[in-house]
Structure formats: structure tokens, C-alpha cells
Amino acid sequence: MEFFDKTGKMAIGSRLRMLTDCITNDAAEIYSLYGIDIKPKWFPVLYSLSEGEEKTITGIAKEIGQTHPSVSNIVKEMSAGKLIKEVTDEADRRRTTITLSVRGRKLCDRLAEVCEDVAVAIDNISEATHHDLWRAIGEWEEQLSRKSLLTRVTEVRKEREGRDMQIIPYEPCHQAVFRSLNEQWITQHWQLEEHDIECIDHPQKTIIDKGGHILVALYRNVPVGVCALCKMNNAVYDYELAKLAVSPDVRGKGIGYMLCRAAVEKAQSLGARKIFLESNTLLKPAIHTYRKLGFCELAEYHPAYSRGDIQMELSLDDTVSAGHEGQATP
């Protein structure tokens, strides 16, 4: 079909639905051809019960791979058609099983002829094609049981976006974006403090000239995130991780993690032993990122900012074990 030639594999769901609808519509006509009054969707339940034993709706749903509500609705329809009967468990009267009625068993006997003829017709189709659809469906089901299509697409997206991302050292031309990104997240909940203004207005003087570093994240060559590694004159901590900010337009792509990871690796390359940071627990994605990298909350702290309600540290003596999310080039 020309439409599917244009869309390609993107429309696999629509194409499979059309094929299913085509076969299901024919199935209804086939049952009518043999004088059997059932709906195609009843067949899996009928087949399951044709073995003769009593079964629960839960058991049937598990056996045929359908949901409990779906099987329950089919059972109600079949019950209205007097094809099945309910059996109350004498040992536990709260437990009900179902089995085929006399009418249902007779119908299953008549279905045997239909199944035989349908199997021959399907074999004829298979012989006229280059691929075994039945085997292919089984292979697809096995692959999707191992890893869903959603998971696979998520991984492909992350890999593709990772190729569009790069982390580079700060240059004077990045001052405006360094200021705007930090101003955006700070003023969303709080007000800029004096130290904030001095830092984001003069990052060269307040951070870089004092032995610190600033990293800039590019997405498709556009600056979208920043993170500072400030040199500390402290007996315990070598650097402070600060001024992490990512544009709202690209959040959810792991850019904040990439920036922090690159900053940690930069500190390691400089021989740092411990990194300090101060944040606020309202910033849940940032706190999650810090914990993922191995930062631990300090029991006692004295915030330098009025908004600070958590301080954390990372010991670089222990190798950071978190995996990469994209390629960082500090």
C-alpha cells in the first residue's frame, strides 16, 4: 500500500491493526459459513475450555495472554449465549470456576472442522509467500518480552540526543547565557542574592581567575546548560559544585547529569579529593543527580545562601561508578 511505503516502519502498529481487522472480519464470515454463531474474540476462551477442565477467569487470562477484565467480559457474553456455566467450589464457596455447557461442548465439536479447514488455508498462504509470518510473530513476541518497543525507542532517542550534545569549557561569549540560565532557576523560587549577582555577572573574575572552571553544555551547537567548579580555600574541600542550570526547553535529556559528571571528572583530573555543594530540596531533579553521582548529605551545615537547606559532599577517593549518559567532552 502506497501509504505504508511512505510512512515506513513508523506505521507498523497501524498496518498490523489493518491486517488483524481483515482477518477478524473474515473469521466472522467463516463462522457464519459453517453456521456457527460466535464472535471471533470468543475463540481463545472456547479453545481453553475445550480441554474439559474447570478454570477460573484469572487462569484463562494468564493462559491466553489477555487481561482479566477482557476475559471477564467475554465470559459474560458467552454466558448470555448459554455456552458456559459457572461452578461454585464446594470447599470455598467464594471461589467460582467456569466450564463449557452442553451447548458449548457441541459447538466446540463443530469448530474442529472449521479449524482444520482454516489451517489448510493458512498453509496455502504461507506456501505462496517468502516469509513464515507465524514464526516471525513468535520471534517478535520473544524480542518484545525481553525488551519493550518503548524501552528500545527510549534508548535510541537517548543515543541520538547524546550525539547532539557536547560539553565545552566556558568562554567569555558564554557570560550572557551563564547569567540568564542561573537567573531563571533562582528567581523561579527565590530572589537573587548579592553573591549570586556578583558571580553570574562576573564569572571570569569570581570563578575562573580564582582557579575554578565553568562547563557549558551545547545541544545542537546551542548553549543550553552551565555548571561551575569553584576553587575553595578549605582544609577539607578542594572545589564546590555550583551554578548548575539547564534551559527548561531541553530538560529531561540528561544534560544536568552530563554537566555534573564532567565537572566531577574535571576535579578528579586536577587531583581533587573532595567536592562540596549547597542546594535546596525543592530542586528534586538536581538532588537526584547529585545522589546518583555519589554525593552524600552532611549531617551539620551552615548555608551560605538563604535558600540553602541541604549541603552535600563527594569523596573522589572512591571511583564514581555511575554510568555515562551521553558523551561529555570537558
Side-chain angles (χ1 to χ4, degrees), residues 180-231:
S180 63
L181 289 177
N182 274 289
E183 183 177 15
Q184 188 277 328
W185 77 260
I186 294 172
T187 57
Q188 183 177 357
H189 300 289
W190 306 281
Q191 292 183 338
L192 288 171
E193 299 180 29
E194 183 178 347
H195 183 61
D196 289 319
I197 297 172
E198 178 68 13
C199 183
I200 63 179
D201 280 348
H202 307 286
Q204 181 73 38
K205 181 179 70 174
T206 58
I207 298 175
I208 296 176
D209 290 348
K210 293 183 177 181
H213 302 270
I214 299 175
L215 302 176
V216 179
L218 304 181
Y219 180 63
R220 295 176 179 173
N221 296 319
V222 177
V224 294
V226 293
C227 181
L229 197 60
C230 303
K231 191 74 174 72

Side-chain angles (χ1 to χ4, degrees), residues 12-296:
I12 185 173
S14 298
R15 191 164 191 174
L16 288 174
R17 277 193 296 273
M18 286 184 64
L19 179 60
T20 299
D21 290 344
C22 177
I23 294 174
T24 301
N25 291 336
D26 273 357
E29 296 295 331
I30 291 169
Y31 291 137
S32 177
L33 175 67
Y34 287 78
I36 297 175
D37 185 21
I38 65 170
K39 296 180 181 180
K41 66 178 181 178
W42 294 358
F43 178 77
V45 176
L46 272 171
Y47 188 87
S48 174
L49 293 173
S50 67
E51 298 173 346
E53 59 184 279
E54 299 171 3
K55 297 183 179 182
T56 63
I57 291 177
T58 300
I60 295 174
K62 184 177 180 180
E63 178 184 345
I64 68 177
Q66 295 188 19
T67 64
H68 187 284
S70 175
V71 173
S72 180
N73 288 332
I74 291 173
V75 167
K76 288 178 182 178
E77 293 177 1
M78 292 174 62
S79 180
K82 301 186 184 328
L83 298 178
I84 61 174
K85 61 180 181 179
E86 295 184 354
V87 180
T88 301
D89 192 326
E90 292 298 328
D92 183 358
R93 302 193 66 82
R94 295 172 300 178
R95 183 175 182 270
T96 300
T97 56
I98 56 175
T99 187
L100 289 175
S101 64
V102 173
R103 181 177 180 179
R105 287 196 298 272
K106 289 180 178 179
L107 186 143
C108 279
D109 291 340
R110 294 173 61 194
L111 273 176
E113 183 182 59
V114 181
C115 292
E116 182 178 345
D117 291 349
V118 169
V120 172
I122 291 175
D123 285 341
N124 292 338
I125 295 174
S126 296
E127 290 172 2
T129 60
H130 296 293
H131 305 286
D132 187 334
L133 178 61
W134 191 253
R135 180 179 177 181
I137 290 174
E139 292 172 346
W140 268 72
E141 288 172 341
E142 181 182 359
Q143 289 297 318
L144 292 176
S145 69
R146 295 178 180 179
K147 185 186 296 185
S148 71
L149 182 59
L150 172 62
T151 300
R152 293 170 188 268
V153 171
T154 301
E155 291 174 351
V156 171
R157 178 190 180 189
K158 183 176 290 186
E159 181 181 351
R160 173 180 55 77
E161 291 181 339
R163 294 194 298 267
D164 292 332
M165 296 178 193
Q166 185 182 12
I167 294 181
I168 63 173
Y170 171 90
E171 295 181 7
C173 62
H174 297 131
Q175 191 277 323
V177 73
F178 183 77
R179 187 187 206 289
S180 63
L181 289 177
N182 274 289
E183 183 177 15
Q184 188 277 328
W185 77 260
I186 294 172
T187 57
Q188 183 177 357
H189 300 289
W190 306 281
Q191 292 183 338
L192 288 171
E193 299 180 29
E194 183 178 347
H195 183 61
D196 289 319
I197 297 172
E198 178 68 13
C199 183
I200 63 179
D201 280 348
H202 307 286
Q204 181 73 38
K205 181 179 70 174
T206 58
I207 298 175
I208 296 176
D209 290 348
K210 293 183 177 181
H213 302 270
I214 299 175
L215 302 176
V216 179
L218 304 181
Y219 180 63
R220 295 176 179 173
N221 296 319
V222 177
V224 294
V226 293
C227 181
L229 197 60
C230 303
K231 191 74 174 72
M232 296 184 70
N233 294 319
N234 188 287
V236 178
Y237 303 108
D238 300 287
Y239 291 95
E240 177 184 1
L241 188 69
K243 295 297 180 282
L244 170 66
V246 176
S247 169
D249 297 334
V250 294
R251 286 177 187 166
K253 299 183 184 298
I255 294 177
Y257 177 88
M258 287 178 61
L259 280 164
C260 291
R261 174 80 192 201
V264 169
E265 291 176 347
K266 182 67 175 180
Q268 284 178 313
S269 71
L270 296 170
R273 302 293 298 275
K274 274 193 176 183
I275 301 177
F276 167 88
L277 70 80
E278 180 176 336
S279 188
N280 187 286
T281 49
L282 281 177
L283 307 174
K284 297 186 185 301
I287 300 300
H288 175 73
T289 294
Y290 302 145
R291 295 192 189 282
K292 186 175 180 180
L293 283 166
F295 279 89
C296 299

Side-chain angles (χ1 to χ4, degrees), residues 1-18:
M1 184 180 291
E2 185 178 353
F3 171 75
F4 293 120
D5 290 338
K6 291 180 181 178
T7 60
K9 298 179 179 65
M10 184 65 186
I12 185 173
S14 298
R15 191 164 191 174
L16 288 174
R17 277 193 296 273
M18 286 184 64

